[in-house]
Amino acid sequence: MKTNKKKVDLRSYMMIIALLVIWLIFTIMTKGSFLSARNISNLFRQSVFISLLAIGMVMVIILGEIDLSVGSIVGLSGGILAILDVWKGINPVLSMIITLGIGLLLGLWNGYWIAYKGVPSFIVTLGGMLIFRGILMGITKGITIGPMSHFFTFLGKGYLSNSFGILLGIIASIMIIISEFLSWKKKKSYNIDSSSTRFEFVKVALYIILINLFVIIFNSYNGLPFPLLIMIIILLLFAYITQNTVFGRYIYAIGGNSKAAILSGINIKKITLIVFMINGLLASLGGVFLTSRLNAAAVSAGEGAELDTIAACVIGGASLMGGIGTTFGAVVGAIVMTSLDNGMSLLNVEVFWQSIIKGLVLLFAVWFDVISKKREA
């Protein structure tokens, strides 16, 4: 039987196209400064923070829930890390493990009230936002704590050698070729609609070109930022979990139709609890990287991060109704948000205009998604 050719779904690539358009506009307006090696390196290093939060948040949103406490978890985690590292002089690795463990517990706190006590996630996490921020102010006594040890300085600002970056580029290119070929072959074997061979070849070629182009750009500055490498590893891990595991399928099933999920025997309470624990863990990790990059912890750290994170997920294609979204899309959305901040800062745009523009971008992204779904229907 002949395999049907699947038309290219432009909507799935629209956010990447939009990101490239944003970069082009800022490049023209800054007379090339935006796409300089130094700025691109700084942009991606800055995007790590929101990207980590978005990877956790998008799973919460796919589940059909929301978490308004991630910004406060970031701040509290950073404060705890700084206290352990600066005030107590505890081993950096142990300090980091303790901090991540506390983030996991904070996620457990949110998940317990939502899953087992039936309190709406909006209310639980709104309360968590206030509680965790209050704890932060209490334990730090409202002062900035720093500087951090050299371990965390490298964690937040370190770069890998050029040769290591080249090696990673080669490995990534090989993995993409193998992954795309196996995926395409599997679809063909099951007679599932698949893209044409020419399209698959062009897509893989573009991926490889982009990867190696970024390696060249990073190496022309200081090398691949270490925080970016960690974020990419976490992205790949959770992309696999959400797309290729039973646990990931359960998250989509619950968000798509919770009643049907219950009838299918899915333990909604358990899945919800685990998802919020993962979100707390990743928010805590985001706090570690933010504190490391800033070289200090402050009571204002993470303020407003929950809004930027939710916006990144929605811009990246997640639906606040649940059941729709990807970790890759959320990270692209995070890069879009960071690009807007970075580009407008280069242009010295006033803060109030930055807020207005980011809000309009979010509004139009959701509007475009709504229009697209109506056309499909």
Side-chain angles (χ1 to χ4, degrees):
M1 186 179 291
K2 188 177 179 180
T3 304
N4 296 325
K5 299 297 181 185
K6 185 178 178 180
K7 293 181 179 179
V8 179
D9 182 12
L10 288 179
R11 190 162 68 89
S12 62
Y13 296 96
M14 277 307 296
M15 193 43 55
I16 296 178
I17 296 172
L19 176 62
L20 295 176
V21 170
I22 290 171
W23 284 8
L24 178 62
I25 292 172
F26 280 134
T27 300
I28 294 172
M29 295 180 72
T30 60
K31 298 179 180 179
S33 297
F34 183 82
L35 279 185
S36 66
R38 177 179 179 178
N39 191 62
I40 289 295
S41 180
N42 288 335
L43 187 154
F44 276 92
R45 188 159 52 85
Q46 292 164 7
S47 71
V48 168
F49 169 57
I50 292 297
S51 296
L52 289 172
L53 300 188
I55 292 170
M57 181 68 79
V58 76
M59 290 191 288
V60 172
I61 291 176
I62 293 170
L63 198 64
E65 305 290 352
I66 201 73
D67 191 341
L68 300 177
S69 68
V70 290
S72 294
I73 294 177
V74 165
L76 180 54
S77 299
I80 291 171
L81 182 72
I83 289 172
L84 295 174
D85 184 61
V86 179
W87 287 358
K88 303 298 182 182
I90 296 176
N91 178 274
V93 176
L94 181 58
S95 297
M96 186 172 173
I97 292 173
I98 293 172
T99 302
L100 295 180
I102 291 174
L104 200 66
L105 290 175
L106 296 178
L108 174 65
W109 166 269
N110 285 337
Y112 171 76
W113 286 100
I114 295 164
Y116 291 94
K117 294 300 180 182
V119 183
S121 59
F122 181 88
I123 300 300
V124 172
T125 57
L126 180 61
M129 180 175 69
L130 300 173
I131 293 168
F132 304 152
R133 186 68 62 179
I135 294 173
L136 170 63
M137 289 187 288
I139 63 175
T140 61
K141 306 191 186 309
I143 64 175
T144 300
I145 306 173
M148 305 296 289
S149 63
H150 294 298
F151 174 86
F152 292 111
T153 302
F154 177 79
L155 190 65
K157 301 179 181 181
Y159 294 90
L160 301 173
S161 66
N162 287 2
S163 57
F164 193 79
I166 294 171
L167 178 61
L168 285 177
I170 294 172
I171 293 173
S173 299
I174 294 172
M175 288 179 63
I176 283 177
I177 293 172
I178 295 173
S179 175
E180 290 294 328
F181 174 75
L182 291 177
S183 176
W184 180 78
K185 187 177 180 181
K186 187 175 181 180
K187 288 178 181 179
K188 294 274 285 185
S189 66
Y190 286 102
N191 199 31
I192 299 174
D193 285 355
S194 59
S195 303
S196 66
T197 305
R198 180 182 297 176
F199 173 75
E200 290 294 331
F201 177 80
V202 171
K203 183 173 70 171
V204 170
L206 284 175
Y207 285 159
I208 293 173
I209 291 170
L210 283 174
I211 287 172
N212 289 281
L213 178 61
F214 277 114
V215 169
I216 293 171
I217 291 172
F218 290 138
N219 282 352
S220 66
Y221 182 53
N222 282 331
L224 179 70
F226 181 71
L228 181 60
L229 175 62
I230 300 299
M231 189 278 290
I232 291 173
I233 293 172
I234 292 173
L235 169 61
L236 293 175
L237 172 63
F238 282 98
Y240 179 82
I241 289 173
T242 53
Q243 299 295 324
N244 297 284
T245 67
V246 174
F247 175 74
R249 294 291 96 198
Y250 283 171
I251 296 174
Y252 282 96
I254 294 169
N257 191 326
S258 59
K259 291 182 179 179
I262 293 173
L263 294 175
S264 299
I266 298 174
N267 189 335
I268 291 182
K269 293 181 179 180
K270 180 181 176 182
I271 299 298
T272 300
L273 182 66
I274 294 173
V275 167
F276 273 92
M277 289 176 67
I278 292 173
N279 191 45
L281 176 66
L282 290 176
S284 180
L285 184 60
V288 170
F289 276 101
L290 179 64
T291 304
S292 300
R293 181 164 64 87
L294 299 178
N295 202 29
V299 292
S300 61
E303 286 185 350
E306 59 280 340
L307 301 181
D308 281 346
T309 304
I310 294 170
C313 294
V314 173
I315 288 173
S319 170
L320 292 175
M321 300 300 292
I324 299 173
T326 64
T327 52
F328 178 75
V331 169
V332 172
I335 296 173
V336 168
M337 296 296 290
T338 308
S339 297
L340 290 172
D341 285 331
N342 182 282
M344 289 188 288
S345 296
L346 286 177
L347 293 171
N348 293 317
V349 176
E350 294 184 74
V351 175
F352 73 90
W353 273 116
Q354 293 188 29
S355 181
I356 292 171
I357 292 170
K358 285 164 64 178
L360 288 173
V361 169
L362 173 61
L363 178 63
F364 279 109
V366 175
W367 174 75
F368 176 79
D369 186 57
V370 170
I371 294 298
S372 298
K373 288 176 181 176
K374 284 183 179 179
R375 286 178 180 175
E376 288 179 359

